[in-house]
Amino acid sequence: MLSLKGKVVIVTGGSRGIGSTIAKEVAKRGATVVINYNTSLNLAEKVVEEIEESGGKAFAYKANVALSNDAKNLIETTKNKFGRIDILINNAGITRDRTFRNLSEEEWNEVINVNLNSVYNTTSAVINTMLEQKYGRIINISSIIGQAGGFGQTNYSASKAGMIGFTKSLALETAKYGVTVNSICPGYIETEMTGQIPDKILDQIVAKIPMKRLGKTNEVAEAVLFLANSDYITGQTLNVNGGVYM
Ligand code: NAP
C-alpha cells in the first residue's frame, strides 16, 4: 500500500461525499488530514472520529473557502499546528443548476466563488510553503461538466473549466520546484450532489454511461492517491467517469 506517512493533507469540503472518502483514504496511508467544512460540523467530526478510531490522525476546521480570509486561516492554522503542508485537495463545490435565461447573478457568483475563487484562495495561501519545501501536490476536483458542458449548468461548467485552465498554468510555474498540480474530472458519482438530480434524469444519465452505473467516491479517491504518489505527472486532467466522456 502507498505510504503517506509524515505527510500533511488538507481536504476542502471533507465533511461529506467525495471529500470525506478522500480524507479517510489518505489517513489510512498514514497522512495527517485536515478536514475542512463550512456548515456540516457534525459530519466533519464523525469523519475525524472514524479516522482516529482506526489509528489515524485528523482534525476538523471550519472555513468558508469562498472567503479569502477563511482560506488563509485554514492554511495558516494547519502550518502552525503541523509545521508543513504537503498535499492540498481542492474539493469543496456546490451546484445551483438553472437554465441560463433563469440564472440569477447571485447564483452565478455563488458557484464561481465557492468552486473557482476558493481554489485561488487556498492555493495562493499555500503556494509559498510548498515552493520552499520543494515538495507539494495540488489536486483540483473539477468535473466532466467542465469538459463536456451540462444543460442548466453554465455557472458550474464555467467554474470547473476554470479549474482545468488554472491547473495547467500553475503546473508550468511550479514544476521545477517539485510541486505538481493536477485536476481530476469525476463523471457522475453517488453523493448528495447527484442525489439532487431527479430519478428520471438520473436514469437517462446512467443509460449513457458505458459502465451503466454511477461512480463510487472511493473510485475518485483512488485517482487522488495515484496523483499524490507521482513525481512526474503534472498539469494533467484525469477522468474518472466510467467512459462517458473520452
Ligand atoms: P457534496 O456531497 O455536496 O459535498 C460538498 C462538500 O463541499 C461538503 O463537504 C461541503 O461542506 C463542502 N463545501 C461546500 N461549500 C463550501 C464552502 N464554501 N467552504 C468549504 N466547504 C464547502 O459534493 P460531492 O458530490 O462530494 O462533490 C465534491 C466535489 O466533486 C465538488 O467539487 C463537486 O463539484 C465535484 N464533483 C462531484 C461529482 C458528483 O457526481 N458527485 C461529479 C463531478 C465533480 P459543508 O457541508 O460543511 O458545507
Side-chain angles (χ1 to χ4, degrees), residues 13 15-16 18 38-40 64-65 91 142 156 160 187 189 191:
S15 53
R16 315 185 254 126
I18 294 171
N38 184 29
T39 55
S40 305
N64 175 356
V65 288
N91 165 80
S142 174
Y156 184 77
K160 294 298 184 179
I189 310 297
T191 67

Side-chain angles (χ1 to χ4, degrees), residues 4-184:
L4 293 174
K5 212 164 186 287
K7 300 275 190 271
V8 177
V9 181
I10 298 176
V11 184
T12 71
S15 53
R16 315 185 254 126
I18 294 171
S20 65
T21 304
I22 294 171
K24 289 180 219 169
E25 290 301 316
V26 295
K28 263 187 213 164
R29 281 141 185 99
T32 299
V33 195
V34 175
I35 291 149
N36 157 247
Y37 67 96
N38 184 29
T39 55
S40 305
L41 167 66
N42 290 345
L43 293 179
E45 281 179 342
K46 257 181 80 182
V47 179
V48 171
E49 251 173 57
E50 222 179 292
I51 291 173
E52 286 177 344
E53 273 165 16
S54 44
K57 218 172 148 195
F59 171 68
Y61 193 89
K62 176 176 165 58
N64 175 356
V65 288
L67 302 176
S68 152
N69 275 343
D70 274 29
K72 273 188 199 138
N73 290 339
L74 165 69
I75 302 295
E76 271 170 27
T77 305
T78 304
K79 179 90 186 282
N80 292 340
K81 206 168 162 64
F82 302 111
R84 55 186 294 121
I85 301 170
D86 299 285
I87 304 175
L88 168 66
I89 299 158
N90 285 312
N91 165 80
I94 58 166
T95 50
R96 295 289 180 268
D97 293 354
R98 197 90 57 208
T99 54
F100 186 66
R101 290 174 73 183
N102 295 315
L103 184 73
S104 67
E105 189 177 343
E106 193 189 343
E107 288 162 334
W108 169 266
N109 285 331
E110 204 183 342
V111 168
I112 297 293
N113 284 335
V114 174
N115 296 6
L116 183 59
N117 290 340
S118 65
V119 175
Y120 169 79
N121 293 338
T122 53
T123 307
S124 60
V126 86
I127 198 70
N128 284 337
T129 297
M130 288 186 175
L131 296 177
E132 281 158 20
Q133 285 170 180
K134 299 234 173 328
Y135 180 89
R137 303 276 177 266
I138 297 170
I139 301 173
N140 295 321
I141 309 297
S142 174
S143 168
I144 184 177
I145 304 301
Q147 302 170 300
F151 189 92
Q153 296 194 291
T154 49
N155 51 356
Y156 184 77
S157 183
S159 70
K160 294 298 184 179
M163 287 172 92
I164 296 172
F166 174 92
T167 296
K168 293 179 183 179
S169 300
L170 185 63
L172 288 173
E173 296 180 21
T174 62
K176 64 173 182 269
Y177 299 97
V179 177
T180 68
V181 192
N182 290 288
S183 301
I184 292 174

